[in-house]
Amino acid sequence: MTAPLQRTIPVRPGLDLQVREAGTSGSPVLVLHGGPGPSGISPLVDHLASEHRVVAPTHPGWEGTVRPHDLDCVPALAAAYLDLLSHLGLNDVTLIGTSFGGWVATQTVLDDREGRISRLVLMDAIGPAIPGQQVTVPAGPPAPAAAGPAPQGGPSAQAMAAMRAYAGPTMADAGMLPRLSTVTCPVLVIWGADDAVVTPDFGRAYAAAFRHVRFELIPGAGHLPIREQPEAIFARLDSFLTP
């Protein structure tokens, strides 16, 4: 597959997922986007496609897609992605999630009864309730950057509504943190040193709850390090994914 392919996959009755696929052979990678939507992970998908089969779904409720009524929490969305992996017959999967997508990724690993996921990568992820730490949601839709082509800022109004439907008013799962010690696969946690949405202290506490984890702080990056310091991200990611 030379160019990314966008297709609709019926993962179960009543649920079709919009999925971008890229790459050819190589081990599979499932990439879950954050609040800004699929465009926020495009550099990641393009980079990984040279060595991996990349699958990047659009969360139902983003980009004009329909969110079924039964997709009303993060565990329900995680179950949809486990169904997607089953539908595609994928095993030995590296799961990457950024921001809200990181929460979904963590939940997906926790609920992976068939052992399809072999590695987890979190980038400035939300998810667990961490004592003394708050999630500061970006205000408003992305605004043009003062310099450079990448738009900065928070999710669109539609994306924010979808995220609230999944995440609830607290934007956190009070019971998740103690469960992270049950994750047996290797975990890489990448964090922007200047993240104002979820601070590096949040990231360190998140990482510390896993058993087999590497924590990487990215200088000069905020909540969207893949936009702000892509080469630094790629270097750490490639090192983690190299057998």
Side-chain angles (χ1 to χ4, degrees):
M1 199 182 301
T2 53
L5 169 71
Q6 193 84 28
R7 65 173 171 140
T8 301
I9 298 178
V11 294
R12 61 174 184 245
L15 179 60
D16 295 343
L17 291 176
Q18 297 292 325
V19 176
R20 180 186 176 194
E21 294 179 278
T24 50
S25 55
S27 59
V29 180
L30 178 65
V31 185
L32 303 182
H33 66 78
S39 64
I41 56 168
S42 288
L44 195 56
V45 172
D46 294 341
H47 174 77
L48 291 165
S50 64
E51 299 285 341
H52 302 273
R53 177 183 177 183
V54 185
V55 178
T58 299
H59 303 318
W62 269 257
E63 304 287 308
T65 59
V66 174
R67 180 182 61 82
H69 292 302
D70 60 346
L71 282 190
D72 58 358
C73 60
V74 169
L77 188 54
Y81 292 140
L82 289 170
D83 286 346
L84 174 64
L85 295 180
S86 177
H87 180 89
L88 296 174
L90 297 180
N91 292 292
D92 191 24
V93 177
T94 297
L95 178 50
I96 302 176
T98 176
S99 190
F100 170 73
W103 181 356
V104 183
T106 299
Q107 187 67 50
T108 304
V109 169
L110 287 170
D111 294 343
D112 176 24
R113 305 286 177 252
E114 296 181 12
R116 294 183 181 276
I117 300 161
S118 58
R119 283 171 295 276
L120 173 64
V121 180
L122 302 177
M123 296 186 190
D124 297 75
I126 64 172
I130 293 181
Q133 299 290 329
Q134 297 293 324
V135 177
T136 305
V137 179
Q152 305 295 319
S156 68
Q158 183 211 10
M160 201 66 233
M163 199 182 335
R164 289 289 187 193
Y166 290 117
T170 63
M171 300 286 289
D173 180 345
M176 176 176 274
L177 196 65
R179 297 180 62 203
L180 301 185
S181 64
T182 67
V183 174
T184 57
C185 69
V187 181
L188 172 64
V189 178
I190 297 174
W191 224 267
D194 303 322
D195 191 343
V197 177
V198 271
T199 67
D201 284 344
F202 185 106
R204 289 186 185 95
Y206 204 156
F210 291 105
R211 289 162 60 184
H212 310 289
V213 67
R214 182 192 307 175
F215 180 79
E216 296 278 1
L217 197 65
I218 309 297
H223 189 61
L224 303 171
I226 197 65
R227 288 179 179 172
E228 298 150 349
Q229 296 289 343
E231 295 307 320
I233 298 298
F234 297 155
R236 287 156 175 81
L237 195 55
D238 293 347
S239 171
F240 181 70
L241 295 182
T242 301

